[in-house]
Amino acid sequence: TTTLEAIASLLSATPGFNPTTLDEIGVRTEQLTLAGDPVVVGLPTSVAGSLADRLAPVADLVDEEESTASMLPIDDERPTEWTTVIEQLATSALTDAAVTLIIADLQQQFIEIRNSVGIPQGFSFTLTGRRTTVPIKLHNSSDAPLTVRVRMTSSKLLFPGGDQTVTLPPQAFFDVEIPIEVRTNGRFPVTLEVFTPVGDLPLAPPVRLTARVNAISGLGNLVTGALLLVLITWWVRHVRQGRRRRAAQESSLNHPVRTSLPEL
């Protein structure tokens, strides 16, 4: 079906040719004439050269087109235009030089779209809880919303949400919230990667981040607060008991039975 669509597209773009079915040939056939004489069109029995060398570059171009197209909105017309052009590359009607130029032009369009996503440089962040989130700020410099997949990995940290697929608004920054679970305290390397939603095509080289984990400090603050509460409770109880003892002593001194006893 893909081959026939490409042939039909080439025929429709060639003056004097119209695609038709075999059944229609016997019913409606027009004869091409020139100055009243019939014109006979002869097709060669073979074509010089081979198209085998094009197949691998065209296949790679198809994969790159699918990956880049997955970033675009579903109503974007560019993927349809790219597919139409790519389907016409596997034909001897185009020279190798022309195919090379077409491939280079398409690849440049793909690169411009992928380069529209700005990824932060390496930075450090501090984690003070067992479970928290870290915002990763991405930028979309294009005029269309772009969908990307964000991945963070580390041998000492857990990322329960897995890869985050998000859509970046056009001409704006966007914070991607990455959930993180801490295993232990320390200073650990983290790798940030951003891909196309389909095909795992990286939008930039991996970015090295550094995580400083002080999760135990939160528990220490809790223990310190609990000890302080116990100390305050003991002090309040001690003050109250002291007041009660003083009040009891004062009341015993002023008791009428005690004051009426004769002196010895």
Side-chain angles (χ1 to χ4, degrees), residues 13-51:
T14 304
F17 286 90
N18 293 310
T20 185
T21 64
L22 292 176
D23 294 335
E24 293 177 347
I25 291 179
V27 178
R28 179 176 56 84
T29 302
E30 297 179 358
Q31 186 177 23
L32 180 65
T33 60
L34 179 62
D37 297 326
V39 176
V40 178
V41 178
L43 299 178
T45 57
S46 62
V47 178
S50 173
L51 299 179

Side-chain angles (χ1 to χ4, degrees), residues 231-241:
L231 179 61
I232 293 175
T233 303
W234 174 87
W235 180 79
V236 171
R237 182 179 300 176
H238 177 73
V239 171
R240 288 180 177 178
Q241 290 177 350

Side-chain angles (χ1 to χ4, degrees), residues 64 68 71 110-117 196 201-203:
E64 187 176 359
T68 306
M71 300 175 60
F110 302 157
I111 291 173
E112 289 179 358
I113 292 175
R114 298 197 300 270
N115 286 348
S116 298
V117 179
T196 57
L201 191 63
L203 303 187

Side-chain angles (χ1 to χ4, degrees), residues 46-57 89-97 99:
S46 62
V47 178
S50 173
L51 299 179
D53 294 339
R54 291 187 196 175
L55 299 182
L89 296 181
T91 173
S92 58
L94 297 174
T95 64
D96 291 340
V99 171

Side-chain angles (χ1 to χ4, degrees), residues 73-100:
I74 192 172
D75 58 348
D76 197 296
E77 297 180 354
R78 284 174 288 182
T80 301
E81 298 173 357
W82 297 335
T83 301
T84 301
V85 173
I86 292 175
E87 289 176 347
Q88 298 178 9
L89 296 181
T91 173
S92 58
L94 297 174
T95 64
D96 291 340
V99 171
T100 299

Side-chain angles (χ1 to χ4, degrees), residues 48-264:
S50 173
L51 299 179
D53 294 339
R54 291 187 196 175
L55 299 182
V58 170
D60 294 339
L61 189 66
V62 170
D63 293 339
E64 187 176 359
E65 185 271 335
E66 292 178 350
S67 298
T68 306
S70 68
M71 300 175 60
L72 299 175
I74 192 172
D75 58 348
D76 197 296
E77 297 180 354
R78 284 174 288 182
T80 301
E81 298 173 357
W82 297 335
T83 301
T84 301
V85 173
I86 292 175
E87 289 176 347
Q88 298 178 9
L89 296 181
T91 173
S92 58
L94 297 174
T95 64
D96 291 340
V99 171
T100 299
L101 291 176
I102 293 174
I103 291 178
D105 178 67
L106 290 176
Q107 288 178 330
Q108 183 61 35
Q109 295 183 49
F110 302 157
I111 291 173
E112 289 179 358
I113 292 175
R114 298 197 300 270
N115 286 348
S116 298
V117 179
I119 301 174
Q121 300 298 318
F123 61 90
S124 300
F125 57 93
T126 301
L127 304 175
T128 58
R130 292 291 184 179
R131 294 177 178 85
T132 185
T133 58
V134 173
I136 302 298
K137 189 177 294 294
L138 302 180
H139 181 253
N140 178 10
S141 61
S142 73
D143 296 329
L146 298 178
T147 302
V148 298
R149 186 156 49 85
V150 182
R151 176 185 300 168
M152 290 182 67
T153 55
S154 175
S155 60
K156 299 296 184 180
L157 303 175
L158 298 177
F159 302 90
D163 294 355
Q164 303 291 316
T165 300
V166 296
T167 298
L168 310 178
Q171 299 291 337
F173 287 92
F174 185 82
D175 285 340
V176 183
E177 299 291 339
I178 306 296
I180 299 179
E181 291 186 6
V182 174
R183 289 179 173 179
T184 182
N185 282 357
R187 182 186 177 97
F188 310 116
V190 180
T191 301
L192 169 65
E193 297 174 284
V194 182
F195 302 94
T196 57
V198 174
D200 282 343
L201 191 63
L203 303 187
V207 178
R208 300 280 293 187
L209 311 178
T210 300
R212 297 186 181 93
V213 181
N214 297 321
I216 300 301
S217 63
L219 179 60
N221 292 336
L222 179 61
V223 172
T224 302
L227 292 177
L228 182 60
L229 180 60
V230 171
L231 179 61
I232 293 175
T233 303
W234 174 87
W235 180 79
V236 171
R237 182 179 300 176
H238 177 73
V239 171
R240 288 180 177 178
Q241 290 177 350
R243 289 179 178 176
R244 289 174 181 174
R245 285 197 298 267
R246 287 195 298 269
Q249 291 176 358
E250 291 176 358
S251 62
S252 63
L253 292 175
N254 297 327
H255 197 277
V257 175
R258 182 178 180 85
T259 55
S260 62
L261 292 175
E263 295 183 1
L264 299 176

